[in-house]
Amino acid sequence: MIIATVDLTNCDREPIHIPGSIQPHGALLACDANLDLVIRHSVNAPDLLGFAGEINGSSASSRFGQQLAHDLRNALAAASDATRPGLLFGQLLPNGKHYDIAVHRYKSTVIVEFELAVTSAQHPLQTARAMIGRISRTETLEALMQQAARVTRATLGYDRVMIYRFERDGAGKVISEVKRPELESFLGQYFPGSDIPKQARALYLKNTIRIISESDYQPIPVLPVLDLSGEPLDLSFAHLRSVSPIHLEYLRNMGVGASMSISIIVDGELWGLLACHHYSARTLPMGLRVSAEMFGEFLSLQLTSIKQRQKLESATRARTYLDRVLQLASQHTLEEVLFENLADFGRLLPSDGFAICIDGRITTQGTTPALDDIPALARFVATLSTGRVWATHQLSRHFAEAEIYSPLAAGVLAIPLSQLPRDYLLFFRKERIQTLEWAGDPDKSYDTGPYGDRLTPRKSFAIWKETVHLQSEPWSEADREIAEAARGALVEVVLRHSELLADERAKADVRQRMLNEELNHRVKNILSVIKSLVGQPVSDGRSLIDYVTTLRGRIQALSNAHDQVIRGDGGGGLGELLAAELGPYDHPGTVIALDGPPLAIDSRAFSVMALVLHELATNAAKYGALSRPGGRVDVQWTVLPNGDGELIWTESGGPEVKMPSRQGFGTALVDRSVPFDLGGESLVEYLSSGVRASFRLPARHLRIVGKGLDIDRQLPAASVRAEAALPPETKILMLEDQMLIAMDVETMLGARGLIRIVTTSSVDEALRALAADLPDIAMLDINLGAGTSIPVAEELRRLGVPFIFATGYGEGNLVPPALADVPVVRKPYEIDGLLTALGRGLRLRRG
């Protein structure tokens, strides 16, 4: 018997966008371009939708009813393209059942997808807002990825959520993971690039979310398979699209029962995936799917913003070095300047050695190939780099002659020094022999399986270790960005080397500002995209439009704040910020009075106060003193004796003010932003004569403009709030059935250095955690919805582990008399009260 050997590239030939079938958790109708006539249907449509008779060839109106057909056409007209389908929730069909419906037009065919409606306590927009709010303030890539995985699992309920980043060679690495405690971890493992074939990656760019409700489902055919012109139905943008049977087998081999993937796209390229696994069947309702899709788009934007900011920071650091090179270039040769200063530059771009190649002359320092080997390498680089930075950590893979000196230079980064492919600055890194952990053998070949000339996916995902030779430490994205910044400046040095310009330093400063302006423009473009995203028209009424308008204003305030921070030295003037926010409302008949010293605030305080003052200003214009003639707003700020800043906002002459009946997002933002983000204080009083708000800004965020020194940033001892001192190694077990609340507690405690936290959401999970490892102290939510945490408390008491109760209910009768001595902390949590309760619990044990 002859067995044909195949490899993973067989997958690349599978036409996954035209499977001819859908998943069984919904039904599909395909209509003509005007949504008049049904031309295709899934074979489950009669049963799921209650349709009788021949479906193909019937009119859409007869199937949906006149009103729903009209609403579908309107939704289709409002949809910008196939990537943004029209959505209708809870629609009643003639069979008496309600459905969530998605409709889009692609290649002259209107595709209508039906899923049974699921009642949800939250509108998809509310869910998306809550998810987005959890990642909107993250400042590093690592924090963003971890928080995104946590909030996705907390909201959508999948057993495992991973962030999967694509490497430059196409392989993927799991860089973040949140899972059920008993599951094995994939964190840090690599998956071969062939696990996601090329056409699947292309489809992820088109349709950014993919749901698989059950890995062993039976596909539902769509009939007819081919239309009159012999074309299959293209389901690229259909959420019900059936997926490859090879991929389903792959999931079953992993033990996965259902999955969801959300594309993470940066600069038009697939950066990675947010991958969710569930170990039983799970159908995500359309509303939650839409929320997840919006969250994924914001995640991509937030990641892009962070990367742009990192690029700006890298460029600024590189520019500091390059400014010195520019100044010295008029007095020395370029080789001399580079050779004398590259040690400093090497701190920004770590390497083991470098070579300078100019006009056929080669100068080296550190560990490099032999001088005789470098010209051939430079000629090879010239065929690839085309005037741009080129880097690889596997030089011998691209340039076979380099294998002989790979122990000295397995990786190279080349910076062109002129527009001609002749002069280069080459950085080298030595070979680094390392062991990679793969989820299965990445190079294994497979035999032809039950699906013909296509692979049968691997059945083992046990860690497979590979020892890697002929590779250096990879060049990071930050390394490449610094090199690009250096390339631009060094090319300029070469072009201007012969010129003696007395004002070279001034021109370098101009170039620095131009760089800042360009990167500032890019970041503001990102904010504009966010504003466009959340401003897409939806079917809810005026309250939703009101929300979009308000959110646009808040984003604009952040954009203005960012603009000021970039233009200045990392902050901005408080008076200028007030003038910018109140300026649009300075109309005849109203009075705006600003009074205070020239006070600068740092970038963090500037962004926070931009939102707070924007909120106060818009509220005053809509409801308060600036809403009618005769109104007045007085804003005074001063520096207190302890160095803190105080700002008082007073409104008068407007309509009578009443206390808000509920606390909306804007009210919470004004009340809580300064204390939460800056460690200050805020007080808002709703006096009948007008709103009065006062804010205290800690001294560490302030600077008096015009004075040589910053205000003393140390708070006097009397103003420091006392708190329980818990050792950073304290291990805490938390039982909390609301994951978002648990995440907040983790964040608050983490900010105080307490990171050894084991989070559980049920009595069984908490007891398993106790059996595995005893904590120093535990905090238990009393009321868990379906029961109480008393069984865990009794086990902790038996084991001699101290604990505290937490509740938002005030239901003391839930605690038995035997546990009446246990400290209680009330929700919502406040960090000082929480630390005090934990400290008290530990002291009770010691006592």
Side-chain angles (χ1 to χ4, degrees):
M1 178 179 179
I2 300 175
I3 297 178
T5 300
V6 295
D7 60 36
L8 293 171
T9 59
N10 295 116
C11 271
D12 293 338
R13 300 198 299 268
E14 188 178 11
I16 59 175
H17 62 298
I18 49 172
S21 61
I22 63 169
Q23 299 182 54
H25 62 273
L28 180 146
L29 299 182
C31 303
D32 61 5
N34 297 318
L35 220 164
D36 291 327
L37 198 66
V38 179
I39 56 177
R40 279 185 169 110
H41 72 281
S42 59
V43 298
N44 64 346
D47 292 335
L48 189 64
L49 305 180
F51 290 169
E54 180 61 35
I55 298 177
N56 291 345
S58 61
S59 70
S61 298
S62 68
R63 293 300 179 182
F64 308 144
Q66 292 288 346
Q67 183 58 48
L68 180 55
H70 174 75
D71 292 342
L72 285 171
R73 292 187 182 97
N74 285 343
L76 191 63
S80 56
D81 54 48
T83 64
R84 300 276 188 214
L87 302 173
L88 297 174
F89 294 98
Q91 298 298 306
L92 181 65
L93 258 61
N95 66 351
K97 295 181 180 180
H98 291 82
Y99 297 84
D100 294 334
I101 304 175
V103 56
H104 72 275
R105 181 186 288 111
Y106 189 54
K107 294 184 176 179
S108 301
T109 300
V110 174
I111 296 176
V112 188
E113 300 174 83
F114 299 83
E115 299 173 38
L116 284 171
V118 176
T119 303
S120 175
Q122 275 196 323
H123 190 281
L125 183 58
Q126 292 176 310
T127 303
R129 286 176 59 194
M131 295 178 72
I132 288 170
R134 298 289 168 174
I135 65 169
S136 60
R137 292 183 179 177
T138 51
E139 297 182 352
T140 66
L141 185 147
E142 293 77 13
L144 175 64
M145 295 299 106
Q146 184 62 23
Q147 189 75 337
R150 290 167 66 187
V151 73
T152 300
R153 180 166 187 254
T155 305
L156 304 184
Y158 282 92
D159 292 331
R160 184 198 303 271
V161 176
M162 301 174 288
I163 306 287
Y164 178 94
R165 182 187 66 201
F166 292 117
E167 304 292 305
R168 288 184 173 269
D169 61 0
K173 180 180 180 181
V174 179
I175 62 172
S176 178
E177 179 185 54
V178 180
K179 62 181 182 63
R180 285 194 347 233
E182 69 273 17
L183 296 176
E184 65 173 325
S185 176
F186 291 151
L187 185 63
Q189 292 186 26
Y190 289 84
F191 287 73
S194 49
D195 277 7
I196 304 178
K198 287 186 291 187
Q199 82 275 31
R201 298 186 191 216
L203 202 52
Y204 274 125
L205 283 172
K206 288 183 177 181
N207 193 344
T208 59
I209 187 167
R210 189 216 61 198
I211 302 288
I212 298 175
S213 60
E214 191 173 0
S215 62
D216 58 357
Y217 72 84
Q218 292 299 315
I220 305 298
V222 176
L223 301 178
V225 175
L226 303 177
D227 62 13
L228 294 177
S229 63
E231 291 293 323
L233 182 62
D234 193 322
L235 296 176
S236 294
F237 297 97
H239 288 294
L240 291 174
R241 173 179 59 85
S242 190
V243 298
S244 163
I246 299 172
H247 184 68
L248 292 175
E249 186 177 357
Y250 176 93
L251 292 177
R252 291 194 296 271
N253 290 347
M254 293 183 75
V256 174
S259 74
M260 178 185 74
S261 299
I262 301 174
S263 305
I264 304 175
I265 298 172
V266 175
D267 295 331
E269 296 184 358
L270 189 62
W271 183 90
L273 294 174
L274 195 160
C276 305
H277 286 176
H278 207 66
Y279 290 87
S280 59
R282 178 176 179 79
T283 300
L284 198 68
M286 185 180 293
L288 275 181
R289 187 179 72 225
V290 171
S291 301
E293 188 174 14
M294 293 176 64
F295 175 74
E297 292 187 8
F298 185 90
L299 173 61
S300 295
L301 294 168
Q302 183 76 350
L303 173 60
T304 303
S305 178
I306 289 174
K307 289 167 66 67
Q308 290 284 7
R309 185 172 65 248
Q310 291 174 341
K311 182 180 292 187
L312 173 60
E313 293 169 353
S314 298
T316 301
R317 291 196 303 269
R319 195 73 199 195
T320 301
Y321 160 78
L322 294 169
D323 279 348
R324 184 165 66 252
V325 173
L326 289 171
Q327 288 180 312
L328 295 173
S330 62
Q331 305 168 18
H332 306 276
T333 66
L334 181 59
E335 295 99 314
E336 292 172 340
V337 173
L338 290 175
F339 193 83
E340 293 297 326
N341 291 276
L342 274 177
D344 293 336
F345 191 58
R347 297 189 185 99
L348 296 174
L349 193 62
S351 63
D352 297 305
F354 64 85
I356 304 169
C357 308
I358 297 179
D359 292 332
R361 299 185 303 274
I362 299 174
T363 307
T364 64
Q365 187 178 86
T367 303
T368 69
L371 283 175
D372 292 342
D373 293 323
I374 292 178
L377 175 59
R379 288 192 296 271
F380 168 73
V381 170
T383 65
L384 299 174
S385 63
T386 61
R388 309 293 293 179
V389 170
W390 183 79
T392 178
H393 66 290
Q394 299 174 282
L395 179 57
S396 61
R397 182 177 179 181
H398 303 277
F399 183 53
E401 296 175 31
E403 184 172 348
I404 193 172
Y405 51 78
S406 60
L408 302 176
V412 65
L413 183 147
I415 301 177
L417 297 179
S418 68
Q419 297 300 322
L420 299 175
R422 179 190 63 187
D423 303 329
Y424 290 94
L425 176 57
L426 304 175
F427 289 88
F428 299 102
R429 286 181 177 172
K430 298 178 183 178
E431 180 182 35
R432 182 172 72 97
I433 299 175
Q434 59 179 323
T435 300
L436 301 181
E437 292 188 348
W438 295 84
D441 185 348
D443 297 321
K444 190 175 179 182
S445 295
Y446 298 84
D447 297 333
T448 300
Y451 300 111
D453 187 25
R454 297 183 291 187
L455 69 85
T456 296
R458 64 185 184 275
K459 294 180 173 59
S460 174
F461 290 83
I463 292 177
W464 189 88
K465 295 187 177 183
E466 176 190 19
T467 302
V468 178
H469 298 270
L470 303 177
Q471 295 186 16
S472 71
E473 180 74 22
W475 304 96
S476 68
E477 199 162 339
D479 293 334
R480 296 168 191 268
E481 290 168 358
I482 290 173
E484 279 292 349
R487 182 194 65 82
L490 291 175
V491 167
E492 183 178 346
V493 171
V494 173
L495 294 175
R496 292 189 164 195
H497 181 61
S498 60
E499 301 178 13
L500 299 176
L501 302 175
D503 60 344
E504 183 59 44
R505 177 63 185 178
K507 291 190 176 182
D509 290 341
V510 170
R511 289 190 296 273
Q512 173 69 70
R513 287 196 296 273
M514 290 175 64
L515 175 64
N516 286 347
E517 289 286 347
E518 172 62 18
L519 291 173
N520 180 33
H521 173 71
R522 295 183 185 182
V523 175
K524 288 172 70 176
N525 279 346
I526 296 170
L527 294 174
S528 298
V529 172
I530 298 172
K531 183 163 56 178
S532 174
L533 173 66
V534 298
Q536 290 293 322
V538 295
S539 58
D540 283 3
R542 178 176 298 178
S543 60
L544 184 56
I545 295 174
D546 220 19
Y547 158 72
V548 171
T549 303
T550 302
L551 188 56
R552 279 179 173 163
R554 290 168 183 159
I555 293 175
Q556 187 60 48
L558 279 176
S559 178
N560 292 338
H562 173 79
D563 189 57
Q564 176 63 34
V565 169
I566 292 296
R567 290 173 185 268
D569 59 353
L574 180 58
E576 289 80 1
L577 176 59
L578 281 160
E581 291 298 339
L582 285 168
Y585 310 112
D586 188 9
H587 303 304
T590 60
V591 176
I592 297 175
L594 308 180
D595 181 39
L599 189 64
I601 54 180
D602 65 17
S603 58
R604 183 177 181 87
F606 199 96
S607 296
V608 170
M609 291 306 296
L611 281 175
V612 170
L613 295 174
H614 172 78
E615 205 66 34
L616 288 170
T618 54
N619 285 342
K622 288 193 292 187
Y623 317 113
L626 300 181
S627 65
R628 69 183 189 188
R632 179 185 179 97
V633 173
D634 292 271
V635 186
Q636 297 175 313
W637 64 96
T638 187
V639 178
L640 301 175
N642 68 350
D644 290 354
E646 183 183 62
L647 183 146
I648 298 176
W649 173 293
T650 306
E651 296 182 29
S652 58
E656 183 178 355
V657 174
K658 296 181 180 179
M659 175 72 70
S661 58
R662 65 179 184 86
Q663 187 179 59
F665 178 79
T667 305
L669 189 150
V670 173
D671 287 341
R672 300 174 61 186
S673 293
V674 171
F676 186 86
D677 290 325
L678 305 180
E681 296 174 357
S682 63
L683 175 64
V684 181
E685 300 171 271
Y686 296 91
L687 308 176
S688 60
S689 59
V691 170
R692 185 181 188 276
S694 60
F695 305 92
R696 181 186 62 80
L697 307 180
R700 63 181 177 273
H701 297 293
L702 310 179
R703 179 168 54 85
I704 293 289
V705 179
K707 293 189 177 181
L709 297 175
D710 289 354
I711 295 174
D712 182 11
R713 296 183 177 184
Q714 297 298 320
L715 295 177
S719 69
V720 179
R721 294 176 292 181
E723 62 182 45
L726 297 181
E729 65 272 13
T730 302
K731 184 173 182 180
I732 301 170
L733 171 67
M734 175 166 52
L735 173 53
E736 168 60 64
D737 65 334
Q738 296 292 321
M739 182 58 75
L740 295 181
I741 295 176
M743 289 168 56
D744 282 338
V745 174
E746 290 175 352
T747 300
M748 288 191 292
L749 293 178
R752 299 300 177 94
L754 299 168
I755 59 174
R756 300 186 64 195
I757 302 169
V758 176
T759 302
T760 61
S761 60
S762 68
V763 169
D764 289 344
E765 190 177 357
L767 292 175
R768 287 197 299 271
L770 281 175
D773 190 18
L774 290 182
D776 296 314
I777 190 170
M779 54 182 296
L780 311 176
D781 185 3
I782 296 177
N783 194 325
L784 299 176
T788 72
S789 59
I790 299 304
V792 181
E794 292 171 343
E795 179 65 9
L796 288 165
R797 179 62 60 90
R798 187 185 70 80
L799 295 170
V801 176
F803 58 94
I804 66 173
F805 283 128
T807 181
Y809 301 94
E811 296 175 351
N813 60 336
L814 293 177
V815 181
L819 300 175
D821 60 328
V822 176
V824 176
V825 62
R826 301 293 179 188
K827 298 180 181 179
Y829 296 114
E830 188 270 328
I831 185 61
D832 291 326
L834 181 56
L835 289 172
T836 299
L838 290 169
R840 182 183 170 202
L842 285 172
R843 287 195 301 274
L844 286 175
R845 178 179 68 172
R846 299 189 190 105

